[in-house]
Amino acid sequence: MRSLDALRSLFRRPLALLVALVLLAGCQSTTLTADGLMQPSRPIAAAAFGEVERRGHSALVIDYQSGRTLFADQADELRYPASLTKLMTLYLVFEQLKSGRLSKDDQLLVSENAASKPPSKLGVEAGETIPVGLAIQALATKSANDVATIVAENLAGSEGAFAASMTAKARSLGMNRTRFANASGLPDPGQISTARDMAILARALMSRFPEYLPIFAVPSYEYRGKTYRATNKLLGKVAGVDGLKTGYINDAGSHLVATVKRGGRRLIVVVLGGKSGRERDEEVTALIERFAGPGF
């Protein structure tokens, strides 16, 4: 554990200086490669993608191993991703951990901006630090908005710069109808995606970082004497479900990207725009039973 003096010295400059030699600067789009955070490219206007349907419904089921589509309903229509955004935030963190530029014990400084984010949140105060390991769990389990901003600011210097890297990474993965404006999924008209793009992200995350998948199956964790329970209510309820992420904002409705393993095969199920968390969960469950049940 670093001493207090060492931490103060560390946070006189962005943690990103330790994560990569070249950081994001200004508002230019960026590319996040295996070598770290890099520069160039140009911003992508949200208007270039088309109109977003408020609370639009989408559903998609794919086979994880082959990527084959088993079911699709408006899977390529634009939606606001809400907290599904944090799958990409975690993807970029996992990349840095895998490369060795970041460790779970590294400390992240909490800014006033991050501490001010609305719930869902961990509730840390400006000037505090939290370890990367806790940040990962808070994002995956609690979907903490303050932690998403903490990660973005520490890794890239600003949330805008981090969001540009998120968009560039999305493009490199084939998520061609996705644009990120922040690291949390809080409301922003420029934050857009589709059910198919979210499935692409989930599949890439699972295949590249299998060592971190158990994080998404944790039903709860404790921090400072308080228990934080998973937002994914299918964990422990629907057989075979072992991740990934929920999301909700008023203009989007209730989202869920779920992964289920039965009979030696794995599916990724995406439902966007549920009228409620319960309705969304019921639809995901029905799709699981239809495509991953006996005889699958």
Side-chain angles (χ1 to χ4, degrees):
M1 200 66 162
R2 294 184 175 90
S3 69
L4 183 58
D5 288 342
L7 284 173
R8 285 172 177 163
S9 175
L10 172 63
F11 289 114
R12 289 193 184 103
R13 50 191 180 144
L15 180 62
L17 290 173
L18 300 179
V19 175
L21 294 176
V22 185
L23 291 179
L24 302 173
C27 61
Q28 293 293 314
S29 287
T30 57
T31 302
L32 187 59
T33 69
D35 295 325
L37 293 168
M38 308 294 289
Q39 282 184 302
S41 195
R42 57 185 177 82
I44 301 170
F49 292 92
E51 295 296 321
V52 183
E53 182 183 354
R54 184 179 183 274
R55 287 181 170 253
H57 175 271
S58 297
L60 181 70
V61 181
I62 68 169
D63 178 78
Y64 166 75
Q65 189 64 35
S66 67
R68 182 168 63 95
T69 297
L70 305 179
F71 174 84
D73 177 16
Q74 301 190 84
D76 297 299
E77 298 302 311
L78 293 177
R79 307 290 183 239
Y80 298 117
S83 281
L84 299 185
T85 295
K86 295 183 179 82
L87 290 174
M88 181 60 86
T89 302
L90 285 163
Y91 188 103
L92 300 194
V93 173
F94 294 159
E95 271 199 331
Q96 296 303 317
L97 288 169
K98 197 178 188 79
S99 72
R101 291 183 171 85
L102 196 66
S103 79
K104 287 186 178 181
D105 293 327
D106 283 338
Q107 298 290 317
L108 306 174
L109 182 66
V110 182
S111 70
E112 290 186 8
N113 177 48
S116 71
K117 297 299 178 182
S120 175
K121 61 194 297 181
L122 190 61
V124 288
E125 297 182 1
E128 290 188 276
T129 62
I130 62 170
V132 170
L134 172 62
I136 291 170
Q137 196 66 74
L139 289 172
T141 305
K142 179 61 177 172
S143 196
N145 294 321
D146 52 355
V147 174
T149 300
I150 291 166
V151 166
E153 291 178 341
N154 279 269
L155 266 62
S158 73
E159 190 161 12
F162 189 78
S165 274
M166 295 168 71
T167 299
K169 177 56 64 175
R171 208 67 68 248
S172 75
L173 294 175
M175 300 167 63
N176 295 321
R177 289 175 63 76
T178 294
R179 181 182 186 275
F180 294 109
N182 60 53
S184 63
L186 285 169
D188 189 301
Q191 186 111 335
I192 55 176
S193 190
T194 68
R196 193 176 307 279
D197 278 5
M198 284 293 127
I200 289 170
L201 174 56
R203 186 168 179 246
L205 189 153
M206 293 165 63
S207 63
R208 187 170 182 194
F209 310 109
E211 66 271 31
Y212 296 115
L213 293 186
I215 291 169
F216 295 97
V218 173
S220 66
Y221 70 96
E222 291 190 4
Y223 178 64
R224 293 180 174 174
K226 184 175 180 180
T227 299
Y228 295 88
R229 302 193 183 282
T231 58
N232 184 355
K233 304 304 180 183
L234 299 190
L235 292 172
K237 180 180 178 182
V238 177
V241 171
D242 53 6
L244 285 159
K245 190 77 189 66
T246 64
Y248 173 84
I249 59 172
N250 190 50
D251 281 348
S254 293
H255 298 342
L256 176 59
V257 175
T259 178
V260 57
K261 186 175 183 180
R262 290 185 184 177
R265 299 187 70 181
R266 182 178 290 282
L267 301 182
I268 296 172
V269 180
V270 182
V271 169
L272 308 183
K275 293 180 180 178
S276 67
R278 176 178 292 182
E279 182 182 276
R280 170 205 67 198
D281 290 350
E282 289 174 351
E283 182 176 0
V284 171
T285 301
L287 289 170
I288 289 171
E289 298 304 327
R290 176 178 172 184
F291 291 100
F296 175 76

